Amino acid sequence: MAQINNLQLKQLVEAAIFVQGKAVTLKALRETVLADYAVSRERLKAVVDELIIDYQERGVQLVKVAGGYRFQTRDSLSIALQSLWQEQAPRYSRATLETLAVIAYRQPVTRGEIEAVRGVAVSSQIIKNLADRGWIKAVGHKEVPGRPALYATTAEFLAYFGLDTLRDLPPLTDAESLDAVFSGMKNVPEEPDAPETPLQ
């Protein structure tokens, strides 16, 4: 295996994370760009920790999300940078956000269990939109009559909301907590949801 000095290692890791545009795990770095080098996990982690410190006071930061690392702009700059986005961030209806919250906090969960929590029927379009967005996926089937699909959140969900693990979800302590979970998103429909039917 080839050797690599600390400066070269730091530059290579920085560039590899930068070009990915998504969270990159230490394992993925070792199996791809570092595959030909003798770099222990401990040495790699130390280099990533150095990079996190290097970027701490900058406009772009290296953060740990979804079990990996990615570069992202500092939260405090988001309002000033909004005018640079060519597209506006999609807006989601309250029904969509509530469905996502139930899945996030109760996973794995069936559609029927989501409906029991929300008290209304869940539109197939909401489940499809969340799956198309990459935030949820079917992870199996519940062993009951009809074997309904069980839904859970994905690594893309964690990355989008800036979470490293599900343990980082804020605790639901009161009726206002649901709004707080998705405070960065407006409860305005991206597309009108089908009318919701109250459960009998």
Side-chain angles (χ1 to χ4, degrees):
M1 286 239 173
Q3 297 298 313
I4 185 170
N5 69 40
N6 283 343
L7 177 60
Q8 292 169 326
L9 176 60
K10 195 171 181 179
Q11 290 171 339
L12 182 55
V13 168
E14 180 180 28
I17 295 172
F18 179 80
V19 299
Q20 281 292 310
K22 62 179 183 179
V24 185
T25 64
L26 298 180
K27 182 174 186 278
L29 287 170
R30 291 183 73 209
E31 291 175 352
T32 55
V33 295
L34 298 175
D36 295 332
Y37 298 100
V39 178
S40 69
R41 188 181 191 288
E42 293 70 28
R43 184 178 175 204
L44 178 55
K45 177 72 166 66
V47 164
V48 170
D49 288 343
E50 277 182 40
L51 283 167
I52 289 171
I53 292 167
D54 291 349
Y55 279 88
Q56 208 161 25
E57 300 302 320
R58 304 192 51 186
V60 174
Q61 297 179 311
L62 181 59
V63 296
K64 188 170 188 222
V65 292
Y69 299 87
R70 75 169 179 206
F71 284 105
Q72 65 184 39
T73 55
R74 178 181 286 281
D75 287 344
S76 60
L77 301 177
S78 61
I79 292 174
L81 295 172
Q82 274 181 345
S83 62
L84 298 175
W85 303 131
Q86 302 221 340
E87 299 177 9
Q88 284 200 337
R91 297 180 174 191
Y92 297 91
S93 68
R94 183 170 187 87
T96 298
L97 296 180
E98 285 178 357
T99 300
L100 181 59
V102 173
I103 295 169
Y105 282 92
R106 298 244 176 141
Q107 61 188 299
V109 64
T110 66
R111 187 167 157 181
E113 290 165 341
I114 298 167
E115 292 174 342
V117 171
R118 292 194 59 237
V120 291
V122 174
S123 143
S124 297
Q125 192 59 43
I126 288 176
I127 298 292
K128 182 181 184 310
N129 287 345
L130 291 172
D132 288 348
R133 190 71 173 82
W135 288 348
I136 67 166
K137 65 180 179 180
V139 293
H141 296 274
K142 190 164 186 173
E143 294 303 324
V144 296
R147 298 188 75 240
L150 287 163
Y151 295 101
T153 55
T154 63
E156 286 84 356
F157 166 83
L158 293 174
Y160 185 88
F161 289 99
L163 305 170
D164 187 30
T165 71
L166 290 171
R167 290 188 298 277
D168 296 328
L169 281 168
L172 290 180
T173 55
D174 55 50
E176 302 304 313
S177 294
L178 179 63
D179 290 332
V181 172
F182 300 107
S183 60
M185 304 174 74
K186 304 286 186 205
N187 293 332
V188 177
E190 180 182 43
E191 296 174 1
D193 289 326
E196 296 192 291
T197 308
L199 297 176
Q200 300 301 318

